[in-house]
Amino acid sequence: MNQQNNKKSSGLRDLGFYIIVFIVLLSTVLILLQNTRRDPVSYAEVIRYFEQERVARFFIADETTLVLTLRNSTPSEVEHKLYSIDYMREDIGELILEQARNRIIEDYNYIPRYVPPWWVTFLPYIFLFTLLIVFWYFMFNRGGAGGGGGMDRSMKFGRARTRLGSDEKKKITFADVAGAEEEKQELQEIVDFLKGPARYIEIGARIPKGVLLVGPPGTGKTLLAKAVSGEAGCQFLSISGSDFVELYVGVGASRVRDLFEQAKKQSPCIVFIDEIDAVGRHRGAGMGGGHDEREQTLNQLLVEMDGFGNNEGIIILAATNRRDILDPALLRPGRFDREVYVGRPDIKGREAILNVHKKNKKLDKDVNLSNIAKTTAGFTGADLENLLNESALLAARRKHPVIFNDDVADAMLKVIAGPEKRSKVIPPKDLRITAYHEAGHAVASRSLETQDPVHHLTIIPRGMALGMLINLPEEDRTHMSKTEMYERIVVCMGGRVAEQLVMEDVTSGAANDIQQATGIARDMVTKYGMSENVGAINYANENDEVFIGRDYGHTKIYSEQTASMIDNEIKSIVDKAYQYCTEILSSNMQKLHDIADYLLRHETMDGPAFEHYFTTGQMPEHATPGA
């Protein structure tokens, strides 16, 4: 049966093949016959007609046929393919024009075309070939493929793209760095060695090869590195960690070698590697074991830092805000010997930073930088610089001659929460829900002693929020007690509880509040040991970042029974805070209604107006105008 089926299918395939061959042959014959019919006169005969002056008139019909009217004979139509026209124009173009001038040819629609010399036709190909060579050279000259050996150094395949400190328009010194006095004292030793290394060498001291600046973004790590160079008066080579990482294999390691070669030629000097975590990440973090280009670059960096001798006049400074992901080999003594933590400035440091950045800004005499420093707890140096810049932009937009206190206050809200969106259309129902939601947060916060004072209350959308409560601390804090964290959860529940009490329903607007409250409760239980049932045991994951290759096989450090107990304890804390918040808002229901009504009428309520109402029981008549 199978053989019969195979024979049938083979016969069908043969028949199909013959049909295809027949169609191809038939098509070829038809094309040849058609061409024969359309080409009864040869090209030589057409040329001969013109030479014998037998052509009375001619024209090109339908851009496909040459039609000739002959003299001394019956007029006839001679068909000729269009492709022969180009040869006709080249061979007998002058003859046609001469016969036209002598009236031999009476009518024609022929315009002779200039036929360039044969070598001109090669110019486009030469141009394209030259363009390809230039493009290839340009791409490889930008530091594309190639590693450290074998390629021509003049093509800069593996050159480190360093930036010299001499390119700075202004020399930066420690006087330009404010709010980091201890950090400057720690780095002063580096400056003294670069200025006079003999004193250290004579006594047998070994200056640190590398100093790692660690701290949150915007705290002035790069500025400190430039200040060290400016104070020492030496060359400053700056490069980013991402400049080492390249698509092509071997480029990163080659650039590391070139960086240290440049440093040795310009000794004494400072080499500053910004965002070193881009190249110094923990090895073995990849699924396949981690033998990739980035790790080769890190290996070369480790070798080079060991390679140059002690007291050669080369100091490596590096900055990162992710020390936890750096490779341990990079942090050992002999490479980065010293770590300097550059933290957020305190109130004294913030005031000093504001005094530095107020230069070239016209401040009103009533603007008090000390008060601004008090209300900007947690701000970094970059945040403070941005605050004054936004104040200046806002004052210029309002056409103020100087920067007033209102400009600074509105700029602070913009920096913290984003710009206002007054044009956004919100339905009255949603606006009422938002007003009670924010009023619930504010009343709960004011009723708890550990919470920061209310600074601003609004139902005008800012950023992703439809409304917000802003609390600003009156002083810097280094610790947070169990009571403070618990009452913070109570404040987070204020919006949801207010919706439940007033609307007798809940909305999705409290999603972020619930997430924040759950996170605080989880930290209390698993990280800070603030649960009596769980005890003072750390169950939190120490590694915030997931390394797939290193942590893929890791399991929980506690049992399922402990996990259930942790979940129950977190739920108990949140439920207790929710009940406590319900009691607070139920006993202050009139205040909740008054503040919500005020927000619906005026959209915004500032801190003094809010405090005045809670102190006197009387609502202020006018709202503070918005930005």
Side-chain angles (χ1 to χ4, degrees):
M1 188 67 179
N2 293 333
Q3 292 179 354
Q4 293 178 357
N5 292 334
N6 292 334
K7 290 181 179 179
K8 289 182 179 179
S9 59
S10 177
L12 292 176
R13 285 196 299 269
D14 293 340
L15 179 61
F17 172 76
Y18 293 136
I19 292 174
I20 294 174
V21 172
F22 176 75
I23 293 175
V24 172
L25 292 175
L26 181 62
S27 302
T28 305
V29 171
L30 292 176
I31 292 173
L32 292 176
L33 290 175
Q34 183 180 9
N35 290 339
T36 302
R37 289 195 303 268
R38 295 195 59 184
D39 195 13
V41 179
S42 67
Y43 175 68
E45 290 179 282
V46 173
I47 299 297
R48 190 163 53 251
Y49 289 152
F50 281 100
E51 291 177 347
Q52 295 175 356
E53 299 182 355
R54 294 185 58 189
V55 179
R57 62 179 62 87
F58 72 91
F59 63 93
I60 300 172
D62 302 329
E63 297 185 355
T64 59
T65 305
L66 175 64
V67 181
L68 301 176
T69 302
L70 303 180
R71 185 179 290 106
N72 301 327
S73 65
T74 303
S76 63
E77 293 185 354
V78 180
E79 295 184 356
H80 194 71
K81 288 183 178 179
L82 183 60
Y83 70 81
S84 296
I85 300 300
D86 291 334
Y87 294 100
M88 182 186 70
R89 290 174 179 174
E90 179 182 356
D91 296 343
I92 59 172
E94 292 297 331
L95 178 61
I96 295 174
L97 294 177
E98 181 65 24
Q99 292 181 5
R101 285 193 293 268
N102 295 331
R103 304 291 183 180
I104 297 173
I105 298 177
E106 301 172 359
D107 186 21
Y108 68 100
N109 60 349
Y110 166 68
I111 299 177
R113 187 184 66 177
Y114 170 75
V115 179
W118 63 269
W119 56 268
V120 177
T121 58
F122 290 95
L123 289 180
Y125 302 100
I126 297 174
F127 174 76
L128 291 176
F129 183 71
T130 306
L131 185 64
L132 181 62
I133 294 177
V134 172
F135 177 76
W136 179 86
Y137 178 81
F138 176 77
M139 290 298 295
F140 278 83
N141 197 40
R142 290 289 299 270
M151 298 303 292
D152 187 4
R153 298 288 293 179
S154 64
M155 296 188 71
K156 303 179 182 179
F157 287 137
R159 296 296 301 273
R161 295 193 287 264
T162 55
R163 293 170 290 277
L164 298 178
S166 56
D167 297 337
E168 297 284 344
K169 295 182 179 179
K170 178 186 176 184
K171 183 179 179 181
I172 298 175
T173 63
F174 282 153
D176 300 309
V177 183
E181 300 304 322
E182 290 77 9
E183 292 81 353
K184 289 191 289 187
Q185 292 177 7
E186 190 75 14
L187 295 172
Q188 184 63 45
E189 191 175 86
I190 307 296
V191 175
D192 294 340
F193 170 77
L194 292 172
K195 284 184 175 180
R199 179 162 55 95
Y200 291 88
I201 296 175
E202 289 176 0
I203 203 171
R206 179 183 65 83
I207 202 66
K209 286 186 178 181
V211 179
L212 183 64
L213 303 177
V214 183
T219 52
K221 299 183 290 295
T222 304
L223 187 65
L224 272 171
K226 293 180 179 179
V228 172
S229 173
E231 289 286 337
C234 63
Q235 188 59 266
F236 182 76
L237 301 180
S238 175
I239 191 170
S240 174
S242 60
D243 289 335
F244 294 111
V245 182
E246 193 64 68
L247 172 66
Y248 303 100
V249 176
V251 175
S254 177
R255 289 176 180 175
V256 171
R257 287 190 291 268
D258 185 74
L259 171 65
F260 281 86
E261 288 177 8
Q262 293 183 40
K264 291 175 183 178
K265 293 178 182 178
Q266 303 190 35
S267 175
C269 70
I270 292 176
V271 176
F272 177 61
I273 306 176
D274 199 7
E275 304 295 344
I276 194 174
D277 49 273
V279 68
R281 190 180 293 263
H282 199 296
R283 288 172 291 183
M287 179 68 79
H291 187 70
D292 57 8
E293 169 65 9
R294 182 187 56 78
E295 293 195 2
Q296 293 183 39
T297 306
L298 174 58
N299 292 336
Q300 187 64 41
L301 178 61
L302 297 175
V303 171
E304 292 293 337
M305 291 191 70
D306 275 340
F308 69 89
N310 298 329
N311 302 324
E312 284 191 3
I314 301 175
I315 305 296
I316 309 296
L317 293 180
T320 181
N321 56 357
R322 293 299 309 273
R323 185 200 181 281
D324 56 311
I325 66 174
L326 294 181
D327 193 277
L330 197 63
L331 303 176
R332 73 161 176 82
R335 289 182 178 134
F336 283 105
D337 306 80
R338 185 174 299 179
E339 292 184 20
V340 177
Y341 182 76
V342 186
R344 300 178 187 273
D346 57 10
I347 182 172
K348 182 180 178 182
R350 291 195 297 274
E351 185 175 355
I353 293 173
L354 289 170
N355 280 305
V356 170
H357 291 303
K358 77 173 184 179
K359 297 177 182 178
N360 302 324
K361 291 183 174 59
K362 297 181 180 179
L363 296 176
D364 184 63
K365 61 180 181 179
D366 293 333
V367 175
N368 192 328
L369 296 182
S370 297
N371 293 335
I372 298 175
K374 291 178 182 179
T375 57
T376 52
F379 277 45
T380 64
D383 294 331
L384 295 171
E385 190 277 334
N386 187 40
L387 171 63
L388 290 184
N389 185 62
E390 289 290 345
S391 302
L393 292 174
L394 196 58
R397 191 182 310 148
R398 295 172 175 176
K399 298 182 180 180
H400 292 170
V402 294
I403 301 174
F404 295 109
N405 276 319
D406 289 343
D407 300 325
V408 178
D410 294 337
M412 185 180 299
L413 294 176
K414 183 177 180 180
V415 170
I416 294 174
E420 290 184 344
K421 299 180 180 178
R422 292 182 173 271
S423 61
K424 189 172 183 178
V425 179
I426 303 176
K429 180 181 177 181
D430 291 347
L431 204 61
R432 185 169 181 266
I433 293 175
T434 304
Y436 275 100
H437 184 102
E438 302 304 331
H441 286 307
V443 173
S445 176
R446 179 60 174 78
S447 303
L448 300 171
E449 295 181 358
T450 62
Q451 299 306 295
D452 297 323
V454 173
H455 175 75
H456 190 76
L457 187 62
T458 181
I459 58 173
I460 299 175
R462 283 182 180 269
M464 297 179 62
L466 294 178
M468 63 182 56
L469 166 70
I470 298 178
N471 300 79
L472 293 181
E474 295 180 329
E475 58 184 4
D476 295 337
R477 294 179 181 176
T478 56
H479 297 89
M480 184 170 287
S481 66
K482 178 181 178 180
T483 303
E484 288 176 313
M485 298 182 73
Y486 172 72
E487 292 187 350
R488 180 59 193 162
I489 298 175
V490 175
V491 175
C492 289
M493 295 289 104
R496 168 57 65 88
V497 172
E499 293 176 7
Q500 180 68 49
L501 292 177
V502 178
M503 310 296 176
E504 297 183 353
D505 196 3
V506 294
T507 68
S508 60
N512 186 58
D513 299 329
I514 295 174
Q515 180 182 6
Q516 185 178 359
T518 305
I520 297 173
R522 184 174 298 278
D523 288 342
M524 291 174 64
V525 175
T526 62
K527 186 181 294 186
Y528 304 125
M530 294 180 178
S531 170
E532 296 180 359
N533 295 331
V534 176
I537 302 175
N538 184 3
Y539 291 111
N541 184 13
E542 295 295 336
N543 299 316
D544 293 332
E545 182 165 331
V546 177
F547 289 98
I548 298 178
R550 190 180 66 188
D551 297 337
Y552 185 74
H554 286 195
T555 58
K556 291 183 179 179
I557 59 176
Y558 46 84
S559 65
E560 293 298 329
Q561 183 180 358
T562 303
S564 178
M565 183 171 59
I566 291 173
D567 292 339
N568 292 333
E569 194 67 17
I570 293 173
K571 185 176 185 303
S572 175
I573 293 174
V574 175
D575 289 345
K576 183 180 177 182
Y578 190 93
Q579 183 62 35
Y580 185 30
C581 185
T582 303
E583 296 174 2
I584 292 175
L585 296 188
S586 298
S587 59
N588 292 276
M589 186 58 69
Q590 186 58 46
K591 294 180 180 179
L592 183 67
H593 289 306
D594 291 344
I595 294 174
D597 291 341
Y598 185 91
L599 291 174
L600 289 172
R601 285 185 286 112
H602 302 291
E603 296 181 328
T604 299
M605 191 175 192
D606 61 6
F610 180 83
E611 190 62 29
H612 174 78
Y613 169 71
F614 258 82
T615 303
T616 64
Q618 297 180 357
M619 190 63 70
E621 296 181 359
H622 301 287
T624 302

